[in-house]
Amino acid sequence: MREVIPYRLTEEQLLCDLHHAYRDASRHKTLRSYKNHEEDNLSELCHELYNRTYRPLPSTCFIISDPKKREVFAADFRDRIVHHLYYNYAHLMLERTFIHDSYSCIPGRGTHYGIRRLEEFIRSESRGYSRPCYVLKMDIRGYFMNINRQRLSDICLHSLTRMATHRVNPHAPTTWQELVDMDFVTWLTRETALLDPTTDCIRRGKPSDWQSLPHSKSLFHSPQGCGLPIGNLTSQLFSNVYLNQLDQYMKRTLHCRCYGRYVDDFFVVSHDREWLRSLIPHVRQFLSDALELTLHEGKTRIADARCGVEFLGAYIKPWRTYISHQTLKRIEPKIRQLHKEPDTRHRQDALASYCGLMSHYSSINIRRRLGMWPLSIL
């Protein structure tokens, strides 16, 4: 039997990995104040991490309103480097525990992939739209604000411990514990997942910015020990880890074959409307008991696939998919404004990006109306 020797991270290797994380964190950003002292800053950060004296700096909190009003906690750039370091170490291990139909923040499995999968499920269950088919859509109320950080940490550590002895890939005998320092990753998981972002945070903007924000959308009103900051790379990863418990329950216990989830929006497709209706109390109970979350009753509905289903900014109808009215209402003023600007590289890139988005859908008439057809005009 092959002897397994767990990997132990050296300070030199940690510094090298921090340089990689720094390049990831600084991509498309101009950070002269940090870059001017890059070596010294990274060496100091490396020393703190290696000796496990690292503590995150206060975050900056502000309100954004595009596309909807949200509260954002931006970590200090030094801490964003650590987030990328943790992501580089842990994300592949954690993503191996996810189901195939978890779409958010996973390379190759984004919004367009989620929309295509829902289309495939509908065609499968309706047998090519030859019989009735229904989509149960559900949502979680104030998801990021109600994630229990201690429970999240426990779930992450359980997943990492389980994956440590798994092979990196089926064709190699190497296990994850021979490739990654699991003790270091375990410590960094606790430091990152258990952090309360509201502690000593710096607020940017006027106090009135928060007045029209519902309490369910603010970490300042979250239950004790709950809430993840929107905007951090680790929050995106942790949000999938937390709801992986729901995914496994839907697939393995409730046997929902046609199930998919994007962050806290999830669906089940079936030709049996009553069976879909019977799932709702089970999901409600599981979210409450296992994850301390609440189903958003106002957004729970069963839609007839023949009449169209809205999901991730798209409107899916039999044999065709359109841009949703809400998405079009948000991007149309921006496109019209771009047409008024001078012909610069930024303008061309922005128009090409919007045109690429719309090319995924039945949108020829919309593109003509917005002056984005034919594509050669770009």
Side-chain angles (χ1 to χ4, degrees):
M1 190 173 180
R2 191 176 66 90
E3 182 182 4
V4 175
I5 302 176
Y7 174 75
R8 288 293 174 263
L9 189 66
T10 65
E11 193 164 358
E12 292 76 14
Q13 183 59 52
L14 177 57
L15 182 59
C16 180
D17 294 339
L18 273 174
H19 277 282
H20 285 289
Y22 168 76
R23 286 195 291 272
D24 292 338
S26 60
R27 191 173 292 128
H28 308 304
K29 296 180 179 66
T30 303
L31 300 155
R32 291 187 185 136
S33 60
Y34 199 96
K35 192 170 184 178
N36 290 339
H37 306 282
E38 176 185 341
E39 288 298 331
D40 292 340
N41 288 332
L42 290 180
S43 295
E44 181 182 353
L45 180 57
C46 176
H47 182 74
E48 291 180 19
L49 286 167
Y50 190 76
N51 291 287
R52 306 194 181 184
T53 58
Y54 162 78
R55 294 294 179 271
L57 296 175
S59 298
T60 301
C61 177
F62 54 91
I63 299 293
I64 61 171
S65 300
D66 186 18
K68 59 177 72 171
K69 198 164 190 177
R70 292 185 183 278
E71 178 186 76
V72 175
F73 282 80
D76 187 87
F77 181 70
R78 167 179 174 271
D79 299 321
R80 277 180 267 163
I81 297 173
V82 177
H83 294 167
H84 279 273
L85 178 75
Y86 178 79
Y87 181 86
N88 292 342
Y89 283 153
H91 83 99
L92 287 177
M93 279 187 285
L94 293 172
E95 286 173 9
R96 291 280 177 88
T97 68
F98 299 167
I99 65 170
H100 183 70
D101 284 289
S102 173
Y103 311 125
S104 170
C105 305
I106 301 172
R109 282 150 59 182
T111 55
H112 297 309
Y113 181 80
I115 293 165
R116 287 198 302 272
R117 287 292 286 173
L118 177 53
E119 288 180 285
E120 291 170 8
F121 287 144
I122 291 173
R123 286 199 298 270
S124 172
E125 280 295 300
S126 66
R127 295 178 181 170
Y129 294 100
S130 65
R131 68 174 179 177
C133 176
Y134 305 95
V135 181
L136 169 61
K137 292 180 59 185
M138 290 174 280
D139 195 301
I140 296 171
R141 185 182 296 277
Y143 174 50
F144 276 89
M145 310 305 157
N146 289 283
I147 294 175
N148 185 296
R149 291 192 292 270
Q150 183 59 60
R151 186 163 297 194
L152 168 65
S153 176
D154 294 341
I155 293 171
C156 285
L157 294 179
H158 175 75
S159 298
L160 290 169
T161 301
R162 184 159 57 90
M163 288 301 297
T165 56
H166 283 222
R167 290 188 293 177
V168 175
N169 65 66
H171 308 292
T174 308
T175 60
W176 284 107
Q177 64 185 341
E178 296 174 87
L179 192 65
V180 177
D181 189 332
M182 298 306 298
D183 287 339
F184 180 79
V185 171
T186 296
W187 168 76
L188 198 54
T189 297
R190 293 195 187 96
E191 289 296 316
T192 309
L194 295 175
L195 174 69
D196 182 357
T198 62
T199 302
D200 300 324
C201 71
I202 303 165
R203 290 207 198 194
R204 299 289 188 204
K206 299 174 291 185
S208 59
D209 294 342
W210 274 264
Q211 288 179 359
S212 59
L213 186 72
H215 285 187
S216 62
K217 300 289 185 181
S218 174
L219 285 177
F220 295 106
H221 300 281
S222 292
Q224 183 70 28
C226 292
L228 288 184
I230 295 175
N232 285 356
L233 177 64
T234 51
S235 297
Q236 299 170 14
L237 177 62
F238 288 153
S239 69
N240 274 335
V241 173
Y242 201 69
L243 280 188
N244 185 45
Q245 307 295 300
L246 172 66
D247 298 340
Q248 302 297 334
Y249 176 73
M250 298 295 289
K251 285 285 192 179
R252 301 180 188 279
T253 303
L254 298 183
H255 305 292
C256 300
R257 184 177 66 88
C258 299
Y259 164 84
R261 179 183 59 81
Y262 187 93
V263 193
D264 59 340
D265 293 329
F266 52 105
F267 64 80
V268 185
V269 182
S270 175
H271 66 277
D272 187 342
R273 187 169 192 160
E274 291 308 312
W275 178 72
L276 290 177
R277 199 187 306 276
S278 71
L279 295 177
I280 298 174
H282 293 290
V283 175
R284 183 188 297 118
Q285 192 68 42
F286 178 83
L287 287 173
S288 176
D289 294 346
L291 299 175
E292 298 182 15
L293 297 173
T294 305
L295 191 65
H296 198 310
E297 302 294 346
K299 292 184 178 180
T300 300
R301 59 177 60 88
I302 298 176
D304 189 331
R306 293 171 297 184
C307 299
V309 179
E310 188 174 351
F311 184 60
L312 301 181
Y315 200 72
I316 302 166
K317 298 197 78 173
W319 307 113
R320 60 205 188 277
T321 303
Y322 300 107
I323 301 175
S324 70
H325 292 301
Q326 188 176 9
T327 302
L328 187 59
K329 184 179 178 180
R330 186 174 72 248
I331 67 175
E332 186 171 344
K334 298 179 181 179
I335 293 172
R336 295 194 183 281
Q337 181 60 39
L338 284 169
H339 280 305
K340 297 177 183 178
E341 295 180 3
D343 189 17
T344 62
R345 180 62 182 272
H346 167 74
R347 174 183 176 274
Q348 293 176 2
D349 290 347
L351 285 173
S353 176
Y354 283 122
C355 200
L357 168 67
M358 289 190 284
S359 68
H360 289 272
Y361 313 111
S362 302
S363 61
I364 291 178
N365 290 333
I366 294 173
R367 281 183 275 169
R368 280 176 176 157
R369 178 164 58 83
L370 295 177
M372 301 176 70
W373 182 268
L375 298 181
S376 58
I377 66 168
L378 300 179

